[in-house]
Amino acid sequence: MSETPDHPSVPTSGPAVPAGGPAAPAGARGDADVRGRLDAVRREVAKTVVGQDAAVSGLIVALLCGGHVLMEGVPGVAKTLLVRTLAGALDVDTRRVQFTPDLMPGDITGSMVIDSSGGELVFREGPVFTNLLLADEINRTPPKTQSALLEAMEEGQVSVDGVSRRLPTPFLVAATQNPVEYEGTYPLPEAQLDRFLLKVVLPVPDRGAEVEVLRRHAGGFDPRDVAGAGVRAAAGPDDVVAAQAAVRTVAVAEEVLGYVVDIARATRQSPSLELGVSPRGATALLRTARAWAWLQGRDFVTPDDVKALAHATLAHRLALRPEAELEGVQVGQVLATAIGSVPVPR
C-alpha cells in the first residue's frame, strides 16, 4: 500500500526471519520461531484478503504492542473479513459489535441482570470479553457509548457496579469507520482517538488485486466461510504473549529516544496544528517502532523504524487549526514537515 499525506500507512513487508548462518542463542531461536509463526499468520490471512498488506502489518504490530487499531475504508474493502480471518489464523476468540445510534454502554461492557434461578443480581459479560473485538462503524454511536471502550482499551478491564473485571489476554479492538458518510455519524473525540495505537487506511485495491478478488469469487470463494478458504490456526494466544514479552526487550538507544521526543515536540510547535503529539503519542511511537524492529529480526531500534511507523501512529492524534483547514492543509503534510525538520541521529 502506498502512503500519501492523507492516508498514512504502515510498512507492508512481512517479518524477516534470518536463514542459515551460525546458530543463534536459545532466546534468539525462540524469537525466530515466534516470528515465523506470525509470518505464517500473514500467509493465512492472504488466503482470503488481497491487497491490504499494510492493514495486516498494522494489526500485527498492534497485537505485539498490546494496542488497538482504527481502520478506515469505504464499504467493501474487506475490513470485517480481515479481522475474522486474523482471528482464525491466530486461533483466538473474536466478536463483532455493530455500532448504532441506539447502542448503550452496557451492550458492550456487560451489565448486571437478575438470575432467573436464584433471583440475585449477576454480571452478564458483554462482547468486549474476547480477544479480538471488531467495533464495526464505531463513529455511528454517540460519544457516551464510544467512551464505554476507554477503560477496556487503556487498562484491559471493565468496571461495572463498582467491580473491575479483567479482559482476556491478548486483547485488541479493531474499530472501523467509513470516511465518506457523515449523516448519522459522531466524530471520535480526541480522548478516544488517542487510545488507538494506530490508524490504518484500507484503500480500494489496485487493478491486479481486484482481478484476483473476482477470480477467487468466480472460483467459489465464500467470504462468510473463512475455514472453507483453507485458513488454519498458525499461531495462538501464547505465541502473541511471548512475542509481546520479546518486543519489550528490544533495546532503544538514548539518541533514538531523543529522536522520538523531538518529533513529538516539533508537532507541538507547528503553526498549522491546534493539537500536537502528546507524551502518550510519543510513547506509542516508541512501542510501534520496537515492534517493527523485532519483526525485522533486530534487537534494537533504528531511526528508520521510527519513521516507518510515525504516520500511522501519530497522524490521527493531530488536529489542524481552523485557518489551516480552510487553506486545504493536510495533517499528513504537516506531520511529514515536522519529521523532516528533526535531525536524524546516527
Side-chain angles (χ1 to χ4, degrees):
M1 170 181 172
S2 62
E3 180 181 303
T4 67
D6 294 337
H7 297 83
S9 70
V10 293
T12 57
S13 60
V17 183
R29 288 199 302 272
D31 282 1
D33 288 343
V34 176
R35 273 193 295 269
R37 294 189 190 104
L38 292 178
D39 196 22
V41 167
R42 185 185 294 273
R43 291 193 296 271
E44 292 300 311
V45 172
K47 293 178 179 178
T48 66
V49 179
V50 181
Q52 301 295 355
D53 292 341
V56 177
S57 293
L59 287 167
I60 291 175
V61 167
L63 272 171
L64 296 182
C65 298
H68 311 283
V69 179
L70 178 62
M71 302 189 299
E72 185 175 278
V74 298
V77 292
K79 298 186 294 293
T80 301
L81 178 62
L82 171 56
V83 175
R84 289 177 54 238
T85 306
L86 181 66
L90 285 171
D91 194 23
V92 296
D93 183 43
T94 182
R95 298 188 187 181
R96 175 182 177 178
V97 177
Q98 185 66 49
F99 280 67
T100 56
D102 59 349
L103 193 71
M104 299 298 292
D107 297 330
I108 302 171
T109 61
S111 56
M112 304 300 295
V113 298
I114 298 178
D115 183 9
S116 57
S117 59
E120 298 181 351
L121 281 175
V122 296
F123 178 69
R124 181 179 62 191
E125 292 184 351
V128 75
F129 285 85
T130 187
N131 296 117
L132 211 168
L133 176 68
L134 174 60
D136 209 8
E137 295 187 289
I138 190 173
N139 58 337
R140 288 198 174 277
T141 198
K144 177 182 178 181
T145 304
Q146 292 176 9
S147 64
L149 281 173
L150 290 178
E151 182 185 12
M153 293 171 66
E154 183 66 21
E155 302 179 31
Q157 66 179 27
V158 166
S159 296
V160 177
D161 199 33
V163 178
S164 296
R165 297 171 171 85
R166 298 297 302 175
L167 297 174
T169 301
F171 173 66
L172 180 144
V173 174
T176 71
Q177 65 178 15
N178 188 332
V180 297
E181 292 181 358
Y182 296 100
E183 185 176 350
T185 61
Y186 303 82
L188 297 179
E190 285 80 5
Q192 181 79 40
L193 283 171
D194 203 38
R195 295 309 196 278
F196 285 102
L197 183 71
L198 296 167
K199 178 183 176 181
V200 296
V201 176
L202 283 77
V204 175
D206 60 30
R207 186 181 186 279
E210 196 165 1
V211 168
E212 176 60 23
V213 171
L214 266 62
R215 181 181 295 113
R216 294 185 182 190
H217 279 262
F221 170 66
D222 182 359
R224 293 176 293 274
D225 184 13
V226 171
V231 175
R232 63 177 182 83
D238 290 344
D239 295 313
V240 175
V241 172
Q244 290 174 341
V247 166
R248 290 192 291 269
T249 68
V250 173
V252 187
E254 193 70 22
E255 294 81 1
V256 176
L257 290 177
Y259 183 54
V260 172
V261 170
D262 289 343
I263 289 175
R265 294 177 68 85
T267 65
R268 298 172 204 156
Q269 297 165 3
S270 171
S272 299
L273 293 178
E274 189 172 63
L275 180 67
V277 174
S278 68
R280 191 209 305 270
T283 60
L285 180 54
L286 173 64
R287 291 162 60 197
T288 57
R290 290 176 95 176
W292 190 248
W294 182 83
L295 282 170
Q296 303 311 303
R298 284 183 277 102
D299 60 359
F300 60 92
V301 176
T302 69
D304 284 341
D305 297 322
V306 175
K307 288 193 288 186
L309 275 297
H311 281 267
T313 307
L314 302 181
H316 62 287
R317 305 171 193 271
L318 305 177
L320 288 170
R321 294 186 184 278
E323 55 269 28
E325 287 189 89
L326 289 174
E327 294 172 1
V329 175
Q330 303 293 335
V331 164
Q333 296 170 336
V334 178
L335 179 56
T337 299
I339 296 171
S341 70
V342 177
V344 179
R346 298 186 181 278

